Structures are given as C-alpha cells and as structure tokens.
Amino acid sequence: MVALFMSGVAVAGVVGGPLSGWIMKTFAGLYGLSGWQWLFLLEGLPSVLIGIWTLFYLDDGIRSAKWLSEDDKQRLERAIVADGQHQQRLPLAQVFGSGTVWLLALVYFLFVMGLYGVSFWLPQLIKNSGVKDVFDIGLLTAIPYSVAALAMVLAARHSDRSGERRWHAAAAAVAGALGLVVATVYSDNTVVAMVALSVATAGILSTFPIFWSLPTALLGGAAAAAGIALINSVGNLAGFASPYLVGAIKDATGSTANGIYLLAASLVAGAVLVVVRRSPGT
C-alpha cells in the first residue's frame, strides 16, 4: 500500500515531464517571464490550492473516516493493535538517542542523495545524450517514470510475499546506482542512456516504499512518530546537499559525470548499511 501511495511520485513524473516541457516552450517570454518562471507559477499554484483543500478534506484517522463502516473501523483498529505488539515504544529521549534510528536516518539521507540524481538531473542527463528540444526532453522523462511506477509496486509486492525488506531495499538501491553509472558512461547514446535511466529511476524510487517498512516495523506509538520525523528530517537534508554537491563538482570539472558517480556511490553506501545492520522486525 505504501508503494501504491508513493507511486504518485512516479506518476507525477509521467505527467509532469511532458507538461513542464510544454509550459517552458509555449510560455517562454510571455508577459516578460521566462519559461521556468511560468513553470513555477502554473505548477506551483495548484499545489498550494490542493494543499489547502487537503487540510479540510483528508480524514485524521480511522475513527473520523466517514467512508468506513463501523465494522471496518473496528477490524482496522484490531489489526493495528496486533501489528504493534512487536514494536518498541521508547520514550522520546531514547528515540533521539537511538543508534538504530540515527542509522536509518543516515541510510535515508544516502538514498535521497541518489533520488536527486533522477529528480533533479534527469532532464540534463537526457539533454546530454543529444536531445536538445525542451519539449522532447519533457516527453522522454515520462519513460523512466512510467517504468518506475510499475517497478515500485512489483518490488514492494515481492517484498511483502517474501517478508524480507533489507535485501529488497539494497538491491533496488544498487540497481539505481548502476543505472546512473551506465547512463553517465554512455551519455552520448540516447537509446542506451534512456534504458539506463529507466533502470536508475525504477531502482531508486522502488527503494523508498520498502525502506519505510523498516522504521515502522521497529517503532510504535510516539516513538514511531518521533523516529519517522527524525529520519525524514535528516534524510531530506540531502535535498540541499545533493544538488549543491553535483553543481559544485560540475563547476569545478565542467561535467556532471563525477557528481552523478558520487550519487551512485551514495546509493551503494546506503545499500551496504541496510544489509550490514540488522534490526528487529526487518
């Protein structure tokens, strides 16, 4: 279910890539604004409005879900209680001092580093392969995201059936790293680069729904809320570090290649840490 939920990221890439290319090409120069400025306006405003709408529409829990019958609510509540029997319910102070939580935060940071290799640099990598038209680049970005949407669900379903998490997350991360490396090495070949970028996108995005089963299997109650918040906060710092480092390397070397290799190495490092450190319930 987490994979189905998070596949929205991939579906957004399928729709958003061509849409972004069309906006940048069609609206460039209109009313004195650049294409990227129109992109921010036309894609940013709906997000703000939907965020406000969600605040009032989204149910706050099982009890407040009007679309669930009373039997459904009771059955779900019993399932949550049973599922939480093997979870640790640590005091908040212990959560912030837990080595396992900080390890998961580091792993998530490394995975998010790799994620930005796709979400931030995918159009540039496609452009490097010889595609110059901004609309064509937008269309081609839909291909890796389409593959990723399917891969996320299939990988998570296989993980559920086997009951295994760590190796599934690690394998997805390594596949993502290999895809980034091959796409960079064969950056002058559009076909090879697109296949490699599809593997990279599928692998990287498949990592995340499987990864989030690790802290939720380990922590319960307030510990889960605090632990997930800590992991997410530390991990999302990669949203600054990843583009900054790749940009700095590009400025220093004149190429994004070494920066992409760094992101691939981050994915492999995260995979190694997931496999080496075993936690209860994972």
Side-chain angles (χ1 to χ4, degrees), residues 40-56:
F40 277 35
L41 285 172
L42 295 179
E43 294 190 1
L45 283 175
S47 299
V48 173
L49 296 175
I50 291 174
I52 296 171
W53 172 77
T54 301
L55 180 63
F56 294 96

Side-chain angles (χ1 to χ4, degrees), residues 26-155:
T26 303
F27 289 85
L30 185 64
Y31 296 117
L33 297 178
S34 300
W36 67 266
Q37 292 173 307
W38 279 109
L39 175 68
F40 277 35
L41 285 172
L42 295 179
E43 294 190 1
L45 283 175
S47 299
V48 173
L49 296 175
I50 291 174
I52 296 171
W53 172 77
T54 301
L55 180 63
F56 294 96
Y57 176 79
L58 189 65
D59 295 315
D60 199 38
I62 293 174
R63 277 289 124 196
S64 60
K66 300 179 182 62
W67 47 276
L68 287 173
S69 68
E70 182 59 30
D71 287 342
D72 289 336
K73 292 178 181 179
Q74 292 180 10
R75 184 166 60 252
L76 287 170
E77 287 170 341
R78 288 194 299 269
I80 288 175
V81 171
D83 191 51
Q85 289 179 351
H86 302 291
Q87 296 172 332
Q88 298 182 42
R89 298 180 179 272
L90 303 174
L92 290 182
Q94 289 188 32
V95 171
F96 290 104
S98 169
T100 299
V101 172
W102 282 103
L103 174 68
L104 290 172
L106 174 59
V107 170
Y108 190 58
F109 179 91
L110 294 169
F111 286 164
V112 174
M113 285 280 289
L115 174 64
Y116 276 85
V118 169
S119 59
F120 200 86
W121 295 102
L122 180 59
Q124 182 64 49
L125 292 172
I126 293 175
K127 184 178 180 180
N128 291 347
S129 71
V131 182
K132 301 303 180 185
D133 185 83
V134 67
F135 181 63
D136 291 339
I137 292 173
L139 285 175
L140 288 174
T141 60
I143 296 175
Y145 282 114
S146 298
V147 175
L150 179 62
M152 291 173 74
V153 177
L154 293 178

Side-chain angles (χ1 to χ4, degrees), residues 107 111 155 159 164-178 202-204 206-214 264-277 282:
V107 170
F111 286 164
S159 177
E164 199 285 323
R165 305 298 185 189
R166 296 178 304 123
W167 284 101
H168 279 78
V174 170
L178 289 174
I204 293 169
S206 296
T207 302
F208 290 91
I210 300 173
F211 167 82
W212 280 116
S213 67
L214 302 178
S266 297
L267 288 167
V268 173
V272 170
L273 289 176
V274 164
V275 172
V276 169
R277 177 63 185 266
T282 63

